[in-house]
Amino acid sequence: MNAHILHTLRYLPLAALVLILGACSSQELGSDADAAQQVYVAPGEYDEFYGFMSGGYSGQLSVYGIPSGRHIYTVPVFSQLATNGYGYNEETKAMLETSYGFVPWGDAHHPELSQTDGVPDGRYIFINENNTPRVAKIDLNSFQTTEIIEIPNSGGNHASPFVTQNTEYISAATRFSVPMGDDGERDVAIDSYAENFQGTLSFIKMQDDGSMRLDFQILVPGFDYDLSHAGKGPSHGWSFFTSYNSEQAHTLLEVNASRNDKDYIAAVNWAKAAEYAAQGEGEMVPADYVRNYIDSDHIAKTERYNEVRVLDPTELPGMIYYLPTPKSPHGVDVSPDGELIVAGGKLSTVIPVHSFSKMIEAIENEDYEGEEQGIPVLRYDATLAGEVQNPGLGPLHTEFDGRGNAYTTAFISSEVVKWSLETFEVLDRIDTYYSPGHLMIPGGDSRKPWGKYLVALNKITKDRYLPTGPELFHSAQLIDISGDKMRLLLDFPTEGEPHYAQAIPADLIMDDDMVRFYPLEDNQNPHAITSEDQARVERDGNEVHVYMTTIRTHFAPDNIEGIKMGDTVYFHVTNLEQDWDVPHGFTVRGANTSELLIMPGETRTLVWTPDRVGVAPFYCTDFCSALHQEMQGYIRVSPAGSDVPISFGTGE
Ligand SMILES: [Cu+2]
């Protein structure tokens, strides 16, 4: 028995311990030549799938090749990234603006691909920020974050961002309930939780131009909302949200929120709610939030909003019903045919599966067992399709292979359990190393999964890799699910926590629309210059603007004089190259922000406040050619009050 299992055992009651010891069997590790063959992608060849993994507390999104497990790229989203200057340069800083001010860090959780007709379409990927509630959109023709919208009346944006079948809406639910309203209404005692704290389910609407607007929020009782998935096919028009803490505890939740036998899945008729919103129903409530977006000039802009439409289910019936679900459910996943709603009751000994058609019948028959603050609670037996017995300890999340099978992670017993959607019988189980949270099958939460591989996203990697001191990266494990038995193929570390992931066949993204460089003639940045003869330095009071170009292998200008102490210098650098793969970089000595990385045809701006008299070198930070080391320049800084005139140039 290894150290990890011992560690887990310390926190388990005796009964669970006996179960685990019974279940410990030696699984094939699959580290044979045949497994190697399956994940080997020869030099120069491409992977079959793009895998998108959340960076968790890094705030970013990582791109991996599957099956090789190679890390290809990091898309900066909610955190600054020194590698390319995102959130540091003047063009992207506004992406990290919030109603709380500039927030250069975020906690990213769930990537979710846009869908058409319930199938990932490769246009966008969305990802949520938990701490300062936000939802980001990444364009997959450029792999750039192009929009971030803040969610007001929310605390811990965890059940987010899940798309409806045609990406009509992106939903986001608050994890923590909070007091809402004006200052007086929000300044309440924490032990008045039951009376004053409320939750919201938010629906962001995709506009025709691909931008996002917060359309409405549905007011819900003060539980904790955990995860979500939209319906599809017959259940299109509905979304499902898990909730726990129906006890409405506000302290020591590990005990106090685990008392009830059942909590709830909230079944939300978002199509009905959207109708109410379109009719102007509900109330416009004061709310301070922002939307940041990359404009056509490639410069991030911030728009501020001050109200949001709130729909109250006690006044607008038919929007929401509760499905009792054992016990503190975590994940909620909808089968590819849209009929089965699978809950991961993390403290439950079974996996409860609800039937959408039985749910509709129960609603029509008003087959209620009660209500929660005006919201009808359906009878458990009326909506239940079945229960999976012995699913492993701590079932969390389920995805599907499109061949009638479901795969559920069991966090405590560290395994993935395969079961039949027809008989609810367990068909196979495989150990993971260790403690998987989410799992991912390409398209595995959609109508048409590409059910060849499964990736287990593990929380703990202790003893899996060469040790690197106290800090550990997390791990992803690639499992072959093409046959009857699951087979572990590959184990690779990830950047940050791979909280959740999605994947899509590479050819759905790697098409002719992929941006490879930016045409110079389309550059609308007001500080762009398109040839070296436009290069110049202009003084405006204490501000100095340097309009600079880069091309292999020099800057224009590369010698600048006339800067004085007390000046703020803006380097507006345009990369004149018009080929894929010729970025240039820029930095200047003492710059206290990240360097610039400038793609061909693009303009980026670095602000520099010189703090000493002298001549400071600047240079290209991105290795661009054989003469990269020659790509340099000098800027002279004179004392305040000096009469050195502005001058600049490159060579003769
Ligand atoms: Cu260069």
Side-chain angles (χ1 to χ4, degrees), residues 550-553 555 583-585 620-625 628 631:
T550 66
I551 197 159
R552 279 160 294 177
T553 349
F555 293 102
H584 288 290
C620 174
T621 49
D622 188 76
F623 205 109
C624 56
S625 74
H628 168 70
M631 196 160 173

Side-chain angles (χ1 to χ4, degrees), residues 183-501:
D183 284 2
E185 292 166 306
R186 294 200 310 271
D187 178 24
V188 297
I190 296 168
D191 67 8
S192 72
Y193 185 104
E195 187 189 332
N196 287 321
F197 286 46
Q198 272 187 302
T200 50
L201 312 178
S202 303
F203 285 80
I204 297 164
K205 191 174 187 181
M206 269 302 252
Q207 310 295 300
D208 291 340
D209 66 0
S211 66
M212 304 188 289
R213 297 293 186 286
L214 182 53
D215 196 28
F216 58 86
Q217 298 188 305
I218 300 174
L219 216 50
V220 283
F223 308 153
D224 289 43
Y225 293 84
D226 209 358
L227 272 165
S228 174
H229 264 104
K232 46 201 161 206
S235 53
H236 177 51
W238 290 76
S239 283
F240 306 93
F241 297 84
T242 44
S243 67
Y244 59 104
N245 193 20
S246 52
E247 298 85 350
Q248 296 196 269
H250 56 83
T251 183
L252 198 65
L253 262 65
E254 64 170 330
V255 177
N256 294 329
S258 304
R259 291 197 169 126
N260 292 349
D261 260 0
K262 293 190 178 67
D263 295 278
Y264 300 112
I265 287 174
V268 174
N269 186 338
W270 60 259
K272 178 100 187 156
E275 258 176 51
Y276 283 136
Q279 290 160 3
E281 297 284 357
E283 211 185 323
M284 296 308 288
V285 167
D288 187 15
Y289 68 101
V290 308
R291 183 178 77 90
N292 309 318
Y293 62 99
I294 302 285
D295 210 347
S296 56
D297 57 8
H298 289 213
I299 299 178
K301 310 276 162 60
T302 297
E303 268 177 15
R304 201 141 187 159
Y305 296 81
N306 52 30
E307 57 177 15
V308 61
R309 180 177 304 281
V310 173
L311 306 176
D312 183 345
T314 61
E315 288 163 11
L316 301 166
M319 280 192 300
I320 175 166
Y321 300 86
Y322 278 136
L323 312 177
T325 302
K327 177 176 183 172
S328 297
H330 189 58
V332 54
D333 301 281
V334 181
S335 59
D337 65 3
E339 164 62 12
L340 299 175
I341 303 150
V342 180
K346 59 184 184 273
L347 301 177
S348 170
T349 53
V350 298
I351 298 172
V353 183
H354 296 284
S355 149
F356 177 75
S357 52
K358 287 178 81 174
M359 181 195 94
I360 293 295
E361 218 180 290
I363 291 170
E364 279 164 3
N365 298 334
E366 299 191 3
D367 199 348
Y368 305 149
E369 65 173 47
E371 59 157 53
E372 280 280 1
Q373 299 180 28
I375 295 172
V377 176
L378 298 168
R379 223 166 32 81
Y380 181 63
D381 289 336
T383 62
L384 193 72
E387 290 174 338
V388 181
Q389 304 295 326
N390 301 317
L393 295 174
L396 292 186
H397 299 282
T398 301
E399 295 223 335
F400 309 93
D401 65 6
R403 297 186 298 275
N405 303 306
Y407 300 78
T408 302
T409 47
F411 180 81
I412 297 172
S413 51
S414 269
E415 58 185 331
V416 171
V417 178
K418 174 182 177 180
W419 52 276
S420 161
L421 287 170
E422 206 163 306
T423 64
F424 302 137
E425 273 173 322
V426 171
L427 304 172
D428 190 23
R429 51 213 314 150
I430 189 168
D431 287 344
T432 64
Y433 306 88
Y434 304 95
S435 303
H438 282 267
L439 50 72
M440 175 272 278
I441 293 169
D445 68 344
S446 79
R447 292 184 75 183
K448 287 195 180 131
W450 293 275
K452 185 172 177 184
Y453 300 114
L454 180 154
V455 180
L457 302 160
N458 304 319
K459 303 297 182 193
I460 296 160
T461 56
K462 192 157 72 176
D463 81 17
R464 296 304 289 172
Y465 310 114
L466 292 173
T468 54
E471 216 176 302
L472 303 168
F473 273 151
H474 294 240
S475 124
Q477 286 183 308
L478 186 76
I479 295 166
D480 177 1
I481 56 166
S482 60
D484 286 343
K485 300 289 283 179
M486 292 180 278
R487 188 151 171 273
L488 180 59
L489 299 177
L490 181 71
D491 190 328
F492 58 98
T494 61
E495 213 185 339
E497 182 207 358
H499 188 92
Y500 179 47

Side-chain angles (χ1 to χ4, degrees), residues 579-596:
D579 269 322
W580 197 23
D581 197 27
V582 209
H584 288 290
F586 175 85
T587 195
V588 58
R589 190 181 69 187
N592 63 359
T593 178
S594 174
E595 83 282 14
L596 298 176

Side-chain angles (χ1 to χ4, degrees), residues 91-164:
E91 282 77 12
T92 56
K93 267 182 188 166
M95 291 305 283
L96 302 179
E97 251 347 292
T98 73
S99 66
Y100 301 88
F102 182 72
V103 176
W105 171 86
D107 182 21
H109 273 232
H110 309 113
E112 170 93 342
L113 289 155
S114 59
Q115 297 187 359
T116 301
D117 202 23
V119 182
D121 56 22
R123 287 183 298 152
Y124 306 112
I125 190 160
F126 303 92
I127 189 164
N128 62 319
E129 208 276 88
N130 225 2
N131 182 47
T132 304
R134 285 171 284 169
V135 169
K137 185 187 79 192
I138 292 124
D139 282 23
L140 288 179
N141 68 350
S142 63
F143 286 66
Q144 306 289 303
T145 303
T146 53
E147 195 175 2
I148 296 180
I149 189 165
E150 193 178 347
I151 313 287
N153 296 325
S154 181
N157 175 40
H158 193 262
S160 167
F162 294 95
V163 302
T164 58

